[in-house]
Amino acid sequence: MELLPTIWFIAIAVLWTGYLFLEGFDLGVGMLMKLFARNNTERRVLLNTIGPVWDGNEVWLLTAGGATFAAFPLWYASLFSALYLPLLVVLVALIFRAVAFEYRGKVDTESWRARWDWAIALGSFLAAFGVGAALALTTTGLPLNANGDREGGPFAWFSGYAVLGGLAVVCFSLLHALAFLALKTDGDVRHRARSWFIRLLPVLLLPLAGWAVSVQVLSGKPWTVAAVAVAVVAAAVAWFLARKGAEGRAFTALGAFLVLGSASIFGAVFPVVLPSTLSPEFNLTISNASSSDYTLGLMSIVAAVGLPLVIAYQAWTYWVFRRRVSAAHIPEAHSFLPAVAAKAFTKG
């Protein structure tokens, strides 16, 4: 087996897992703006839990996509061209979500905030669903021909596996967000988040478990099947710890479920990076889809220097903003004049 392509396959799997772990809870918090929060104060509490970190979390998506482009250009070209429409929706959803974070508090009216709250919630949902669908199709297959081109129309990608993967990431993000809110907030939001987490865990993990089991049926290996079994144990541990009020350890156990589930999925399809549903002969693998050894070697040097710095900086950010947030920390909402208008008003 080729060493550098294998290393970069593992690296890309780690990057996608890191994205789902970090961006998962802040996409979930975005969706919970309309599903969970009861009033504007609670919505501001939710926003303040992810405010310092959400944009840093999205770096993992860019890094995963960029690493795929550089390390496995044929994988990137086939996947992104086949999924052009859903990935365009994901991009627009992320843009609207980011704009909503900045614009929501600019005017102190209910109608203004409600519009941006919907932009955050729907943007978070569409982004989570689209990423989940893309990752599911990466591990279950697309109708690719011998040239790696998609056969069929613009919706040839749409399948039961795409829906399953989309629901898996949406549901996991919601559950992960509840665990995060129980860890990062105080007062009624904290207790209600933990209660929802305990009640909903068995239901919200079903799609992700279904995705993992489906991949095992298609191409599982003994160790990946074992990883799925251990992931189920980690989920049970998370539920038990949440009932005991150990929110930090419950959050960690849920993260272990994600890591084990992700390892089982990527490990099962290895060395295939993108299966073809038309014929196994058309599968893209780490051998026929990778860049040259020179390119992968240079990327490895850059990653060995840059990645630890990025991880250290992001870890420091989470440490700085580690305190819990409660309604008592939220000041009264108020309107204000933009800087240009305020200056003109003062001169007048």
Side-chain angles (χ1 to χ4, degrees):
M1 195 63 66
E2 300 176 22
L3 178 61
L4 285 176
T6 300
I7 290 173
W8 274 98
F9 178 86
I10 295 172
I12 290 170
V14 170
L15 288 171
W16 279 115
T17 304
Y19 173 74
L20 292 176
F21 181 83
L22 294 173
E23 184 80 342
F25 67 73
D26 82 47
L27 289 173
V29 168
M31 287 183 274
L32 290 175
M33 289 280 289
K34 300 303 290 185
L35 296 173
F36 177 83
R38 292 173 172 171
N39 51 52
N40 182 49
T41 300
E42 288 193 354
R43 293 187 182 97
R44 292 174 68 191
V45 169
L46 266 60
L47 286 176
N48 275 270
T49 62
I50 61 173
V53 297
W54 70 266
D55 46 354
N57 294 341
E58 289 189 354
V59 171
W60 287 76
L61 175 62
L62 301 176
T63 307
T68 305
F69 170 76
F72 299 98
L74 293 182
W75 180 10
Y76 178 93
S78 296
L79 180 67
F80 278 66
S81 60
L83 302 180
Y84 183 85
L85 286 178
L87 291 179
L88 178 62
V89 172
V90 169
L91 178 61
V92 172
L94 289 173
I95 291 172
F96 268 93
R97 180 173 178 267
V99 171
F101 282 139
E102 302 298 330
Y103 276 49
R104 182 186 185 277
K106 299 303 182 184
V107 177
D108 183 23
T109 66
E110 287 297 327
S111 60
W112 174 270
R113 285 192 293 265
R115 286 194 291 268
W116 294 114
D117 287 343
W118 277 112
I120 293 171
L122 292 177
S124 299
F125 170 80
L126 290 173
F129 189 91
V131 169
L135 290 177
L137 293 171
T138 295
T139 55
T140 57
L142 285 164
L144 303 178
N145 60 25
N147 295 321
D149 298 326
R150 182 198 66 214
E151 295 284 345
F155 294 98
W157 56 271
F158 190 78
S159 67
Y161 288 124
V163 174
L164 179 62
L167 290 177
V169 173
V170 167
C171 291
F172 176 80
S173 296
L174 287 169
L175 186 67
H176 202 32
L178 291 171
F180 178 74
L181 291 175
L183 178 64
K184 278 291 295 177
T185 63
D186 214 343
D188 185 56
V189 172
R190 172 188 180 182
H191 300 305
R192 208 162 73 248
R194 188 173 69 219
S195 176
W196 280 37
F197 177 86
I198 294 168
R199 292 202 309 268
L200 296 177
L201 183 146
V203 176
L204 292 180
L205 288 187
L206 280 178
L208 185 53
W211 174 15
V213 170
S214 298
V215 173
Q216 303 313 310
V217 172
L218 292 172
S219 54
K221 305 174 177 68
W223 76 265
T224 60
V225 174
V228 173
V230 179
V232 173
V233 174
V237 170
W239 182 84
F240 176 78
L241 290 172
R243 284 181 59 88
K244 299 283 287 184
E247 291 132 342
R249 285 181 289 171
F251 183 81
T252 303
L254 186 64
F257 170 86
L258 174 67
V259 171
L260 289 163
S262 178
S264 74
I265 291 170
F266 281 101
V269 298
F270 179 84
V272 176
V273 296
L274 186 57
S276 170
T277 57
L278 301 181
S279 171
E281 296 179 359
F282 304 154
N283 288 349
L284 296 180
T285 68
I286 64 168
S287 299
N288 63 22
S290 66
S291 296
S292 66
D293 284 347
Y294 176 81
T295 299
L296 295 178
L298 184 60
M299 288 173 60
S300 299
I301 295 172
V302 173
V305 175
L307 192 57
L309 295 176
V310 172
I311 293 174
Y313 176 78
Q314 195 162 20
W316 177 78
T317 303
Y318 275 92
W319 175 256
V320 169
F321 294 101
R322 66 189 183 278
R323 302 296 185 188
R324 290 182 181 271
V325 181
S326 71
H329 298 138
I330 305 300
E332 290 293 327
H334 60 280
S335 297
F336 65 93
L337 288 172
V340 175
K343 186 176 180 181
F345 180 79
T346 303
K347 287 183 176 181

